[in-house]
Amino acid sequence: MLRMHKLGSLFAVATILLAAPAYAGPNHNKDHTFGEPGKPESITRTILVEAHDADGDMKFVHEPLEIKLGETIKFVVTNKGEMPHEFALGDSPTQRAHALMMEKMPDMKHHDDPSAVTLEPGETKEIVWTFNKPIQGYIELACQMPGHYAGGMFSKVSLAK
C-alpha cells in the first residue's frame, strides 16, 4: 500500500511538471498573438504609464490611447502605488489565460516575458512592443496580480488599421 502511495505521489509531481508549460498560456511564450518585442530603433512613440492603488482604487493612468497596426511603442511604466503591480500587454484571450495562470501562481515574476513586467513600489520599467498582428477584440494593458484586474487595473485599447 505504501509503495502505491509513493507511485501516486510521483505520478502527481510528474503530471504537474509536465503540465506547467500549459499553464504559461500564450502570454508566456515566444509566439504572442498580438505582436512581438519591438526594436528600439523602430519606436514610433513613448507612452508613460503610472500604476496607482491609493485607497484601494487600482488603476493605470496614461494619456488617451489608440494603437495602430504596425506601430512600435515604448511603454515606460512607473509604480506610484504602495504595493507591487504588474504591467502586461495582451489581447483579450491572452489576458484571460494570464489571469488564470496568476491565480495559480500569484507570486510569479516576469523575468523572461517581453510583454510583461513586475514592479515594486517606486520602480520604473520599460516594454518596447510592435503591434504587427491583427486581433479581434482589444489590446489590454493589465495588472493580473490577484484582485487587481477585478479592481479596475486595466485599459482596453482598440487596434486601428
Side-chain angles (χ1 to χ4, degrees):
M1 213 46 186
L2 183 59
R3 181 179 168 108
M4 287 297 273
H5 178 70
K6 285 183 181 179
L7 285 175
S9 295
L10 285 173
F11 179 74
V13 169
T15 300
I16 290 168
L17 290 174
L18 291 173
Y23 285 114
N27 199 33
H28 292 277
N29 64 33
K30 296 183 185 196
D31 187 26
H32 294 84
T33 59
F34 55 93
E36 61 190 35
K39 296 182 174 110
E41 63 272 13
S42 300
I43 294 171
T44 55
R45 66 185 163 133
T46 299
I47 301 294
L48 303 177
V49 180
E50 294 179 352
H52 292 267
D53 57 39
D55 301 320
D57 184 24
M58 291 189 236
K59 62 185 174 184
F60 287 126
V61 175
H62 54 78
E63 67 184 60
L65 189 54
E66 178 181 271
I67 299 173
K68 294 184 177 97
L69 187 63
E71 190 171 25
T72 299
I73 298 175
K74 176 167 77 170
F75 294 91
V76 179
V77 187
T78 301
N79 183 350
K80 298 278 191 173
E82 296 180 10
M83 60 182 68
H85 292 291
E86 76 168 20
F87 178 81
L89 298 170
D91 56 8
S92 298
T94 299
Q95 292 293 9
R96 279 192 299 277
H98 189 166
L100 292 172
M101 179 186 52
M102 289 296 288
E103 284 177 16
K104 294 183 184 314
M105 298 179 281
D107 295 327
M108 184 185 71
K109 304 289 187 241
H110 300 285
H111 300 293
D112 61 349
D113 184 350
S115 68
V117 292
T118 303
L119 301 116
E120 295 298 321
E123 195 170 21
T124 298
K125 293 186 179 177
E126 298 178 358
I127 293 177
V128 176
W129 198 261
T130 300
F131 296 90
N132 60 356
K133 296 179 183 177
I135 62 162
Q136 293 201 350
Y138 295 95
I139 294 293
E140 293 187 26
L141 319 176
C143 179
Q144 295 291 358
M145 297 290 231
H148 293 203
Y149 187 97
M153 197 162 213
F154 65 91
S155 297
K156 291 187 178 190
V157 182
S158 295
L159 185 64
K161 293 183 181 185

